[in-house]
């Protein structure tokens, strides 16, 4: 019943009076019904909070993939960047949030995006030892030859990390072999 009252009130306010903070609070509480009502009244889904994050980035960071899906369907861009140059895809990968990653891939998020450091999401999954996310990106068609700012591909970066004694070397080597197998190339070490 409170949701109906909120709906009546929102319907009687003009869009310029609906503060973006209500959308962020609704996402924070994982209240998809309220998010849906507020999204109908907001002009700009790309406005950022004090941390420089869009509503979509917040939903992805919290792994609220149903809210993320709703926001994208209502016009939120998967390509908006934060101050580090990271898109929502980086938020999904950083937290190893596979459901959110799937939503973003399904909506055509740019798998080749690079942050301000020149790092791709595939490089991040490899460095973080996120096997399932790495595999998901590989089967989704990520470019395995994309290079970082020091001109290394993910495979070379991963092998370098492995060669210098990465803490989880067994998993990293599995990721390395997975990337080599997907790319069907053998790289000299």
């Amino acid at each position: 019943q409170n949701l109906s009252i909120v709906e009546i009130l929102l319907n009687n306010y003009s869009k310029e009076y609906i503060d973006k903070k209500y959308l962020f609070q609704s996402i924070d509480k994982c209240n998809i019904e309220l998010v849906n009502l507020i999204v109908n009244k907001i002009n700009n889904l790309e406005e950022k909070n004090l941390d420089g994050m869009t509503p979509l980035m917040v939903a992805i960071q919290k792994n609220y993939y149903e809210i993320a899906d709703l926001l994208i369907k209502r016009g939120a861009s998967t390509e908006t960047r934060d101050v580090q140059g990271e898109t929502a895809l980086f938020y999904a990968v950083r937290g190893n949030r596979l459901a959110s990653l799937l939503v973003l891939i399904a909506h055509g998020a740019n798998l080749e995006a690079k942050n301000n450091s020149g790092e791709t999401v595939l490089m991040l999954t490899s460095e973080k030892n996120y096997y399932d996310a790495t595999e998901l990106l590989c089967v989704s068609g990520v470019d395995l030859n994309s290079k970082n700012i020091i001109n290394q591909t993910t495979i070379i970066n991963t092998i370098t990390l492995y060669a210098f004694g990465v803490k989880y070397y067994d998993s990293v080597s599995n990721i390395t072999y997975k990337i080599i197998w997907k790319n069907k190339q053998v790289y000299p070490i």
Side-chain angles (χ1 to χ4, degrees):
Q1 189 170 359
N2 286 344
L3 193 60
S4 297
I5 293 171
V6 169
E7 185 173 15
I8 291 168
L9 293 172
L10 283 172
N11 286 333
N12 288 292
Y13 276 91
S14 63
K15 289 186 177 191
E16 61 266 10
Y17 294 113
I18 307 298
D19 194 321
K20 67 180 178 185
K21 72 180 177 186
Y22 301 123
L23 178 57
F24 283 105
Q25 289 171 349
S26 301
I27 293 168
D28 193 49
K29 299 292 182 192
C30 195
N31 189 330
I32 195 166
E33 293 87 7
L34 189 54
V35 168
N36 189 38
L37 289 175
I38 294 171
V39 165
N40 288 330
K41 285 292 187 178
I42 295 224
N43 288 324
N44 184 2
L45 290 176
E46 303 310 312
E47 282 193 60
K48 296 177 180 175
N49 64 12
L50 296 175
D51 296 323
M53 297 168 60
T54 64
L56 179 60
M57 290 172 183
V58 171
I60 294 292
Q61 183 183 50
K62 294 181 172 288
N63 205 27
Y64 297 158
Y65 56 90
E66 291 172 329
I67 291 176
D69 185 56
L70 171 70
L71 290 169
I72 296 168
K73 286 177 179 174
R74 295 298 182 87
S77 173
T78 60
E79 303 311 313
T80 302
R81 295 177 181 274
D82 66 11
V83 294
Q84 287 84 27
E86 295 190 348
T87 63
L89 198 61
F90 281 89
Y91 284 84
V93 166
R94 272 201 197 286
N96 202 24
R97 296 169 180 93
L98 296 176
S100 292
L101 183 59
L102 280 168
V103 167
L104 292 167
I105 290 170
H107 284 286
N110 179 10
L111 302 180
E112 312 311 325
K114 293 180 182 178
N115 63 18
N116 293 345
S117 300
E119 185 176 46
T120 67
V121 291
L122 184 62
M123 290 173 184
L124 183 61
T125 62
S126 177
E127 290 169 14
K128 296 283 188 182
N129 195 32
Y130 296 153
Y131 183 85
D132 291 336
T134 301
E135 184 173 34
L136 180 57
L137 289 167
C138 286
V139 298
S140 297
V142 70
D143 180 8
L144 299 173
N145 295 310
S146 185
K147 296 179 179 178
N148 62 14
I149 59 175
I150 58 171
N151 211 29
Q152 286 183 325
T153 62
T154 301
I155 186 68
I156 298 303
N157 192 41
T158 304
I159 290 171
T160 302
L161 288 172
Y162 172 65
F164 289 112
V166 173
K167 184 177 178 183
Y168 304 107
Y169 75 92
D170 286 333
S171 295
V172 172
S173 64
N174 287 338
I175 291 170
T176 301
Y177 296 134
K178 180 69 176 179
I179 293 170
I180 289 172
W181 175 253
K182 175 69 179 168
N183 207 22
K184 296 181 178 60
Q185 295 181 16
V186 177
Y187 295 88
I189 299 178

